[in-house]
Amino acid sequence: MSRGTELEGYCIDLLSELSKKLGFKYNINLVKDNRYGAIDSSGNWNGMIGEVIRGDADLAVAPLTLTAVRERFVEMTTPFMQTGIGFILRKDLAAAESHVSFLSPFSTEMWVGVLIAFLLTGSCIFLVARISPAEWPQPESEESRFTLLHSFWYITGALTLQGDSIRKTLLLHYRS
């Protein structure tokens, strides 16, 4: 390390505590190629893993991802950091489980707002379809196959990322 620069963070604190408890001294060297470690095309390891395998370093302390390939070449400890994203919700012991418990993450006002937006959007789509001449196969018959129910189904498909299969069949029908 160059003079005047100091490393800090969880890994450095962990190494310091380990050295105190186990009674060893250490020197910190930054990895030469700034990589964690992977096998290159010639079958050699680079990064921290490569330095440990070659004996350039006795130990590497970093938030490395534990992989089966890396474990075949070096000994790795149990991970001290997880990179997954998770949600933690308080489990209310007083509340009993019910069939509508999936609604509990949002407030009643939020659900009412979602319902109003759903109904307004469906109505707007239906009105635009009703006004548009492209939605009427025979304008003089006063009958359209695109109903208010279809517009709500279209929005439901969009909200659940399922697509709009009814609309696609209607487009195919109009073109034939």
Side-chain angles (χ1 to χ4, degrees):
M1 302 253 340
S2 63
R3 186 172 175 86
T5 61
E6 290 187 28
L7 296 175
E8 59 181 32
Y10 182 78
C11 292
I12 301 300
D13 295 343
L14 177 66
L15 186 60
S16 175
E17 289 299 315
L18 282 173
S19 72
K20 287 177 190 174
K21 290 195 183 238
L22 299 176
F24 66 88
K25 293 183 181 184
Y26 62 92
N27 291 324
I28 297 177
N29 296 314
L30 297 177
V31 65
K32 295 173 185 78
D33 59 3
N34 292 323
R35 297 185 182 271
Y36 288 109
I39 298 177
D40 60 16
S41 58
S42 63
N44 296 321
W45 281 88
N46 60 16
M48 292 181 206
I49 304 289
E51 289 191 10
V52 171
I53 290 172
R54 288 188 302 274
D56 297 340
D58 297 320
L59 167 70
V61 179
L64 285 168
T65 303
L66 188 97
T67 64
V69 176
R70 286 178 176 167
E71 277 192 308
R72 282 189 287 165
F73 292 91
V74 294
E75 293 289 328
M76 299 185 87
T77 64
T78 304
F80 60 84
M81 179 185 289
Q82 298 293 328
T83 58
I85 297 174
F87 292 97
I88 299 173
L89 298 174
R90 180 178 52 89
K91 185 173 182 176
D92 195 3
L93 299 176
E97 292 286 326
S98 70
H99 295 299
V100 292
S101 61
F102 69 93
L103 297 173
S104 62
F106 296 121
S107 67
T108 304
E109 293 84 10
M110 175 65 79
W111 285 115
V112 169
V114 168
L115 181 63
I116 289 171
F118 179 82
L119 294 173
L120 285 175
T121 305
S123 300
C124 288
I125 289 174
F126 175 71
L127 289 174
V128 168
R130 189 89 170 138
I131 294 169
S132 173
E135 292 295 330
W136 295 85
Q138 298 171 343
E140 62 275 354
S141 71
E142 300 256 349
E143 184 179 324
S144 174
R145 292 194 174 143
F146 191 77
T147 64
L148 185 60
L149 181 63
H150 288 123
S151 66
F152 290 137
W153 186 253
Y154 180 82
I155 295 169
T156 304
L159 287 175
T160 58
L161 302 174
Q162 298 298 312
D164 55 341
S165 61
I166 289 177
R167 182 73 179 134
K168 289 176 187 170
T169 58
L170 285 174
L171 285 174
L172 291 174
H173 177 71
Y174 289 152
R175 291 182 183 159
S176 57

